[in-house]
Amino acid sequence: MSEQILRIEHVDRIYTDDETEVEALSDVSLTVKKGELVSIIGASGCGKTTLLRMIAGLDRPQKGKLYLHDREITKPDPKRGYVFQQGGLFPWLTVEQNIGAGLKARHVWNENKDRIPEYISMTGLNGFEKAFPHQISGGMAQRVAIARALINDPEILLLDEPMGALDSFTRAALQDKIVEIRLQTGTTMVLVTHDVDEAIYLSDRIVVMTPRPGRVSEIIEVPMSYPRQRNSGDFGKIRKKLLEKFHLASEQKLPEYMI
Amino acid sequence: MEKGSTSKKLILAIALSIGGFLIALLGNMLVPQIADVSFDEYIVGIFMLTGKDAYDILLIALIIVYLITGIRGLRRAERRKKYVFAAPFRFACGIALFLWDLLGTKLQILQQPFFPGPAGIMTAFVQEGPFIWQNTLYSLRLYLFGFLIGTAVGVFTGTLIGWFSKADYWVSPVLKVAGVIPSVAWMPFALTIFPTAFSGAVFLIVISVWFQVTTLTASGVKSTPRTLLEAARTLGANNRWLVFHIALPNALPNIFTGIMTANAFAFTILVMAEMMGQPGGLGYYINASKVWSAYYKVFAAIIVMAILFSLITKLQGCIEKRVLRWQKGVLK
């Protein structure tokens, strides 16, 4: 059995909005193993992004704790790379400067700057080194964001719906890129998505969450090897299972209409 | 066919560009002078020149410059386009000079000495060119001191206000009230409290620039998208890095807007301060010339100001374009 890298223990998160309290997360526990790719899937408002932000250290739980390698997560750290849904690139820096931003911020630029070309070619950005973010496409921007996180050698890469704002062709291409990067680097990843096929296509395990309050309802294993065929029988079976769970999970919030 | 028509166009443009100035030149040389305006000779380098001669030289220089740039335009299409575009305007400039010369110098129509002709104004440069240059440098130095200090202090306080909510709470109200006071109102204090007239004037320019730059820097820093700050934090940035590498670059477009507005204030204060009590500068020169009814010198100073201030604005525009080339729409 491989080593546990991330441990989430009984996490609660309540947002207070004027007088109403919204329970974004309620008693969420989860572990992620080294090298694993875990997807968190659920309807909007189920707290999946909140959970990811907590792993990143951008948000704190009211109750419960999160650990990376037995060290409690209290603030952001380059060991936990984060890719935003969109708009995370620094518009005044070129592609290669964006990728090198973490090296500069951590003051390790001189000893690491030679690695930038490696990450440029890993993410297929050759020829766009000197381009500014507004000159490249959405898919490329996300690849820059991934390269920018990976150059810090993160122990875990957190992806917050990185393909959410992309068209379907670009999305498929980026999904393949993520698989490729994963096979190449072995980086542990946690992916937040609302796309069932994307979750099956990419992950080892899929965490289904229910909204209001956000809870883990089910964890589904995907015992398939890469490359996965979206039209294969196994894929279809998991999709069917997932959709059923997902369907049930979504309906739990409206019991009064189910009589 | 195509080629023939473009070169024809260019030849017409050259004719227009130099034609106006040629008319002005002929006008100056050939039209007899009725007005009671006399031109004294002054020593310029190794020559003895009158203002009228200097005006001739200026027109000839313009004709040569536009002839050369026109011929150079044959090679490059983009240059040619620009040249052809500006040609009618250059023609109009030449004609305007010609008319002005007629009205101001040749015929006794514009009232003298209040509205001298171009030759009259050139007299100022021939007569005391080095002195005008000296005053120009004085103005430039005053501007640079005031502007640079004002911008630096403005960016600093703006960043403080934009980043720290405590600073915002305590400083912003003061800034809002103190900032709307036209800085000329401080002139009596500035000219008495400060040890030298120069430092007093610098102070006035500093406060007018400071307010503009502070307000805009603060709003630029405040408007930094949260995603960018969070992204930087996940990359290992500390607070210091966030300020210098995220908030400030994000505020740069705002800062430039602030600088551009501040410039207008700075120029005004500059000239006013010089008129009120400086030992030099273009404003001082205007004031000193007015006392002797030397209106041609006043006009000469105004022309120098126009050139100086446009050059400063132009230079700032170039710097802005270069620094903000990452902005959408700026780059092709």
Side-chain angles (χ1 to χ4, degrees):
Chain A
M1 212 181 110
S2 46
E3 171 201 359
Q4 272 183 12
I5 181 166
L6 176 74
R7 212 165 74 241
I8 302 171
E9 291 180 344
H10 310 292
V11 160
D12 280 12
R13 184 71 173 91
I14 297 159
Y15 287 114
T16 333
D17 175 30
D18 291 332
E19 253 121 83
T20 54
E21 283 190 346
V22 181
E23 208 172 0
L25 291 174
S26 169
D27 194 26
V28 171
S29 296
L30 184 69
T31 56
V32 176
K33 291 189 281 264
K34 196 170 165 49
E36 213 179 8
L37 198 162
V38 174
S39 285
I40 303 172
I41 191 166
S44 56
C46 71
K48 53 192 192 296
T49 293
T50 305
L51 186 60
L52 199 71
R53 288 174 57 82
M54 281 183 185
I55 303 172
L58 293 169
D59 206 337
R60 297 294 312 276
Q62 265 109 356
K63 262 192 237 160
K65 279 175 178 167
L66 300 94
Y67 300 92
L68 185 79
H69 280 316
D70 296 319
R71 284 188 48 207
E72 196 185 340
I73 295 170
T74 54
K75 59 177 186 357
D77 191 289
K79 289 278 152 228
R80 285 167 270 123
Y82 199 96
V83 175
F84 290 84
Q85 182 167 5
Q86 59 178 329
L89 297 186
F90 308 127
W92 48 84
L93 298 183
T94 60
V95 164
E96 59 181 4
Q97 287 169 332
N98 259 289
I99 294 175
L103 304 177
K104 283 239 166 105
R106 293 188 294 135
H107 308 291
V108 293
W109 168 259
N110 280 329
E111 49 275 46
N112 288 288
K113 61 171 186 266
D114 301 333
R115 290 166 59 213
I116 293 175
E118 179 194 327
Y119 286 86
I120 294 226
S121 55
M122 183 199 285
T123 45
L125 291 162
N126 303 70
F128 291 91
E129 291 88 342
K130 307 274 186 244
F132 285 103
H134 78 263
Q135 297 171 302
I136 60 177
S137 68
M140 290 172 86
Q142 289 305 58
R143 280 181 281 159
V144 176
I146 291 171
R148 184 176 69 172
L150 285 177
I151 203 166
N152 290 325
D153 297 317
E155 296 190 38
I156 190 162
L157 182 64
L158 309 168
L159 303 149
D160 182 11
E161 297 194 42
M163 285 147 290
L166 305 178
D167 64 79
S168 52
F169 292 107
T170 318
R171 177 185 298 223
L174 189 56
Q175 286 166 356
D176 288 337
K177 200 78 207 173
I178 288 175
V179 170
E180 194 188 312
I181 289 169
R182 189 188 164 197
L183 295 175
Q184 196 178 333
T185 62
T187 311
T188 314
M189 298 188 192
V190 177
L191 169 77
V192 161
T193 180
H194 55 247
D195 182 333
V196 171
D197 279 15
E198 179 173 293
I200 306 168
Y201 191 70
L202 295 174
S203 2
D204 300 318
R205 284 190 299 149
I206 300 170
V207 178
V208 181
M209 288 186 70
T210 56
R212 281 174 245 283
R215 277 207 176 92
V216 174
S217 107
E218 198 87 29
I219 297 179
I220 292 169
E221 305 258 344
V222 186
M224 290 169 74
S225 61
Y226 294 126
R228 294 175 182 173
Q229 299 299 323
R230 287 172 217 263
N231 51 6
S232 72
D234 285 347
F235 203 102
K237 265 184 228 160
I238 295 169
R239 182 193 285 129
K240 187 157 176 269
K241 189 170 160 192
L242 196 55
L243 283 173
E244 272 165 17
K245 301 282 179 201
F246 203 36
H247 192 59
L248 285 174
S250 322
E251 272 180 348
Q252 272 174 7
K253 66 174 175 173
L254 306 164
E256 58 265 52
Y257 300 108
M258 289 184 64
I259 307 162
Chain B
M1 181 77 183
E2 180 79 348
K3 191 138 201 195
S5 79
T6 56
S7 62
K8 236 184 233 168
K9 240 192 212 163
L10 185 67
I11 288 165
L12 182 70
I14 293 174
L16 273 179
S17 293
I18 63 173
F21 297 117
L22 211 57
I23 291 169
L25 182 65
L26 292 174
N28 188 37
M29 288 166 132
L30 304 177
V31 178
Q33 185 176 319
I34 298 168
D36 181 22
V37 181
S38 64
F39 294 105
D40 299 327
E41 284 194 323
Y42 296 96
I43 301 169
V44 179
I46 52 164
F47 302 103
M48 294 290 285
L49 291 178
T50 64
K52 199 162 165 275
D53 300 333
Y55 177 49
D56 280 338
I57 294 169
L58 177 73
L59 289 171
I60 292 167
L62 283 171
I63 289 168
I64 294 172
V65 166
Y66 287 125
L67 197 60
I68 292 172
T69 49
I71 291 166
R72 279 177 67 199
L74 277 172
R75 297 244 193 90
R76 284 221 214 124
E78 199 165 319
R79 221 182 255 164
R80 187 164 59 230
K81 232 182 185 172
K82 257 189 186 167
Y83 186 87
V84 170
F85 179 75
F89 188 77
R90 291 194 199 107
F91 182 74
C93 286
I95 298 301
L97 280 175
F98 171 68
L99 292 177
W100 181 21
D101 187 32
L102 279 189
L103 297 176
T105 312
K106 308 296 183 198
L107 315 166
Q108 206 158 13
I109 293 175
L110 291 181
Q111 202 186 351
Q112 300 300 328
F114 303 106
F115 302 105
I121 292 170
M122 289 306 287
T123 305
F125 295 107
V126 180
Q127 189 184 348
E128 45 189 23
F131 186 54
I132 296 177
W133 178 238
Q134 203 183 325
N135 281 307
T136 308
L137 288 182
Y138 188 93
S139 288
L140 187 63
R141 189 165 68 112
L142 188 54
Y143 165 80
L144 282 178
F145 266 86
F147 173 78
L148 292 177
I149 296 173
T151 304
V153 178
V155 169
F156 178 75
T157 45
T159 309
L160 280 184
I161 292 170
W163 191 257
F164 299 104
S165 52
K166 277 247 170 68
D168 191 16
Y169 178 84
W170 292 108
V171 182
S172 281
V174 181
L175 187 76
K176 272 189 191 122
V177 176
V180 292
I181 303 168
S183 56
V184 201
W186 301 107
M187 189 159 320
F189 300 102
L191 298 182
T192 47
I193 291 172
F194 282 84
T196 58
F198 183 80
S199 55
V202 167
F203 167 76
L204 290 176
I205 298 173
V206 164
I207 54 174
S208 66
V209 172
W210 168 76
F211 172 65
Q212 285 297 327
V213 175
T214 301
T215 329
L216 278 142
T217 307
S219 77
V221 167
K222 271 186 209 164
S223 71
T224 311
R226 204 176 68 153
T227 311
L228 294 188
L229 294 171
E230 289 182 340
R233 286 171 66 208
T234 63
L235 294 173
N238 57 20
N239 275 330
R240 214 183 113 112
W241 207 86
L242 291 183
V243 173
F244 286 102
H245 292 88
I246 308 296
L248 271 179
N250 184 72
L252 263 182
N254 265 27
I255 294 174
F256 273 104
T257 313
I259 285 174
M260 284 296 178
T261 354
N263 250 343
F265 288 103
F267 293 150
T268 313
I269 307 281
L270 175 80
V271 177
M272 272 188 147
E274 282 174 352
M275 283 180 162
M276 303 297 260
Q278 289 294 311
L282 291 167
Y284 156 82
Y285 184 78
I286 287 181
N287 226 25
S289 307
K290 190 194 71 185
V291 175
W292 298 100
S293 292
Y295 288 97
Y296 64 103
K297 291 186 186 175
V298 174
F299 276 106
I302 288 174
I303 288 171
V304 174
M305 271 180 204
I307 295 170
L308 179 67
F309 295 161
S310 331
L311 281 180
I312 290 172
T313 312
K314 175 99 184 153
L315 182 69
Q316 275 167 0
C318 288
I319 294 173
E320 179 177 357
K321 223 173 173 179
R322 166 94 196 124
V323 173
L324 299 184
R325 69 188 189 286
W326 49 270
Q327 273 194 315
K328 208 171 185 156
V330 173
L331 217 105
K332 276 178 214 158

